[in-house]
Amino acid sequence: MDKLLITGGTRLNGVVRASGAKNAALPILAATLLTKELITIKNLPHLHDITTMLELLGSMGCGVVVDEKMSVQLDVSTLNNCEAPYELVKTMRASILVLGPLVSHFGKAIVSLPGGCAIGSRPVDLHLRGLEAMGATISVEGGDIVASVDGRLKGARIFFDKVTVTGTENLLMAATLADGQTILENAAREPEVVDLAECLIAMGAKITGHGTDTIVIEGVEALHGTSYPVMPDRIETGTFLVAAAITGGKVRVIDTNVKSLEAVLSKLEEAGAKVSSGEDWIEVDMEGRRPDAVNISTAPYPAFPTDMQAQFVALNSVANGVGRVIENIFENRFMHVDEMLRMGADIEVTGNTAIVRGCERLKGAPVMATDLRASASLVLSALVAEGDTKIDRIYHIDRGYECIEEKFGALGAKISRVLN
Ligand code: UD1
């Protein structure tokens, strides 16, 4: 199995391009199920999760043509079944995103129920309750969610007890073809939800309020084809910027989205980084300094994202001072901590809080990636550790970071993919 070998100690310097956002690409690909016309999605990141979603659409009979620039043309007119089988869902929870579009467009769906995952139990009750409120009949049979509706879904007023990103996306997609008006309250405001809404609007959907906590959708009878580019990945961008800060270096990320990163940029400034930006680029210059520790508390957008929490634990682990990191979204998202302790970090976890005492230097060690964002923090830690770090189970990294060794390598990191 592939591993990443990283020799720490190099200050990162240079320019890197942001890839398309995985978490916007996945719902947008699912949204193509809402039209029978040809549709083209551009700027897809070359990632395992994207391949899984394309495989899922292909397994339903959709035509999928990918070009070398990761533009994909989809043809849903040939769809011959509405099933998302366990084999695919178990490798990617986001497969649940096909549920809303399938029920709304085809009146039925069988989607394997996603199980628990490494970062805790992740229920989909709010997705299901919302679809029921819109008139779908839902049952769980043999581990599958079986959903159906006679005729069209009906517009409804839906209040989310908890802010859920994919839950909002599933119901937003379902509502576009429903009969009448749907109002989603306490909806997720994440930029990826906004990107999905913009794609749906380009397909002819009537949506207002996306980017706020109340989204209003006037259902239409049909959506049409379009060509839509996926937004840049704010989490990948943020990870490169933390890499600059943690190594005392200077990195400019181009083709990115500045506004979507405000909470992260303000924490980087607090850590002592010089942050500058233009319309589609952000630069972090640490001018050779050691970062200062920062306190972090994760919450739904526009607050600090849970997907950047592990990277800031890494930053704090070599910072001046003590940083308190509170994880409010997922119950078991400190698994990177045990691995970082193996590298000499001083971190104490109690409940959902990690107290990170900055140390002068981490030491390279063999470590294991446990989930996508945890693995990013191990890469960052390895970049500043003395000696070699070998990261095992890097398939987690490959789910979310495109060409990670090429991109970090171009910034001067000593990083390679090895077999043993
Ligand atoms: C999405 C992102 C993930 C990110 C997360 C939070 C994608 C593909 N993934 O995951 O990278 O870390 O948002 O920003 O976009 N919950 C319920 N019931 C539900 C749904 C969610 O209780 O029906 C809870 C979850 O257990 C969690 C919280 O709500 O505690 C937020 O989860 P949610 O926003 O749904 O995460 P995902 O959409 O799965």
Side-chain angles (χ1 to χ4, degrees):
M1 209 186 290
D2 285 4
K3 299 181 173 62
L4 276 182
L5 176 65
I6 299 173
T7 308
T10 318
R11 231 170 237 175
L12 296 198
N13 203 311
V15 179
V16 62
R17 182 187 170 272
S19 300
K22 169 180 86 75
N23 285 357
L26 292 172
I28 286 172
L29 287 173
T32 63
L33 288 167
L34 291 162
T35 178
K36 286 209 178 82
E37 293 184 15
L38 280 183
I39 186 160
T40 303
I41 307 300
K42 295 185 286 193
N43 198 33
L44 289 171
H46 199 302
L47 297 173
H48 197 255
D49 277 8
I50 300 299
T51 318
T52 305
M53 184 57 92
L54 294 176
E55 210 180 309
L56 178 55
L57 295 173
S59 76
M60 294 177 196
C62 304
V64 180
V65 181
V66 189
D67 76 9
E68 70 285 357
K69 285 183 168 160
M70 283 304 279
S71 274
V72 60
Q73 193 185 58
L74 290 133
D75 180 2
V76 174
S77 67
T78 50
L79 182 135
N80 54 31
N81 75 83
C82 291
E83 282 182 45
Y86 182 61
E87 289 64 46
L88 291 173
V89 177
K90 74 175 182 204
T91 65
M92 187 183 69
R93 296 180 51 83
S95 310
I96 188 75
L97 285 164
V98 300
L99 180 65
L102 284 175
V103 185
S104 190
H105 192 185
F106 300 100
K108 58 182 180 208
I110 301 178
V111 177
S112 183
L113 189 62
C117 72
I119 59 173
S121 103
R122 288 170 79 172
V124 290
D125 54 316
L126 302 173
H127 303 229
L128 305 188
R129 228 184 289 157
L131 286 172
E132 277 173 341
M134 296 171 81
T137 304
I138 296 184
S139 57
V140 176
E141 293 166 26
D144 292 331
I145 302 163
V146 181
S148 63
V149 64
D150 280 338
R152 287 168 76 185
L153 290 173
K154 301 244 169 334
R157 194 178 192 104
I158 294 161
F159 180 86
F160 291 98
D161 289 343
K162 214 169 178 179
V163 178
T164 159
V165 176
T166 48
T168 301
E169 292 166 345
N170 233 337
L171 299 187
L172 171 61
M173 291 188 278
T176 57
L177 292 180
D179 185 11
Q181 185 185 68
T182 298
I183 302 178
L184 302 178
E185 288 178 305
N186 200 26
R189 292 183 277 170
E190 267 66 5
E192 293 77 12
V193 175
V194 175
D195 206 34
L196 168 65
E198 291 297 341
C199 176
L200 291 167
I201 290 168
M203 294 165 71
K206 295 206 171 110
I207 302 169
T208 53
H210 44 300
T212 77
D213 62 6
T214 306
I215 307 179
V216 180
I217 306 111
E218 302 290 341
V220 294
E221 291 207 355
L223 294 178
H224 53 72
T226 188
S227 171
Y228 192 82
V230 171
M231 69 175 283
D233 196 315
R234 63 191 170 108
I235 305 302
E236 186 206 30
T237 299
T239 304
F240 283 119
L241 298 177
V242 174
I246 202 170
T247 61
K250 177 176 169 180
V251 170
R252 179 179 288 215
V253 185
I254 57 170
D255 291 342
T256 192
N257 180 306
V258 185
K259 197 163 174 344
S260 65
L261 275 142
E262 275 170 2
V264 172
L265 298 182
S266 88
K267 284 295 165 187
L268 283 168
E269 278 177 335
E270 209 181 308
K274 233 176 82 189
V275 178
S276 48
S277 59
E279 203 184 318
D280 62 354
W281 59 268
I282 309 172
E283 186 175 280
V284 158
D285 188 356
M286 205 61 194
E287 298 172 327
R289 289 189 306 273
R290 187 177 166 195
D292 295 324
V294 288
N295 294 332
I296 299 290
S297 178
T298 66
Y301 190 86
F304 191 89
T306 174
D307 286 352
M308 285 299 299
Q309 176 258 100
Q311 295 88 320
F312 272 76
V313 170
L315 184 84
N316 278 339
S317 73
V318 293
N320 288 308
V322 181
R324 195 182 64 243
V325 177
I326 307 176
E327 173 56 54
N328 293 303
I329 308 285
F330 292 114
E331 66 198 34
N332 190 18
R333 217 178 202 188
F334 280 128
M335 281 182 307
H336 42 291
V337 167
D338 284 338
E339 300 300 309
M340 288 174 61
L341 294 180
R342 294 171 47 74
M343 301 176 74
D346 182 352
I347 308 170
E348 207 179 298
V349 176
T350 314
N352 68 341
T353 302
I355 303 292
V356 190
R357 293 183 186 82
C359 62
E360 286 276 344
R361 190 158 296 284
L362 297 174
K363 290 210 168 51
V367 290
M368 209 154 64
T370 49
D371 67 72
L372 172 48
R373 304 307 167 189
S375 38
S377 73
L378 298 179
V379 172
L380 296 175
S381 304
L383 289 173
V384 278
E386 205 173 270
D388 290 349
T389 297
K390 208 181 256 185
I391 309 179
D392 201 352
R393 302 205 178 158
I394 56 168
Y395 49 84
H396 289 294
I397 303 186
D398 293 334
R399 287 189 44 217
Y401 290 89
E402 182 177 57
C403 305
I404 189 156
E405 66 271 35
E406 284 88 346
K407 283 187 160 186
F408 273 113
L411 297 173
K414 292 194 181 113
I415 175 169
S416 56
R417 196 173 281 253
V418 293
L419 274 176
N420 272 301

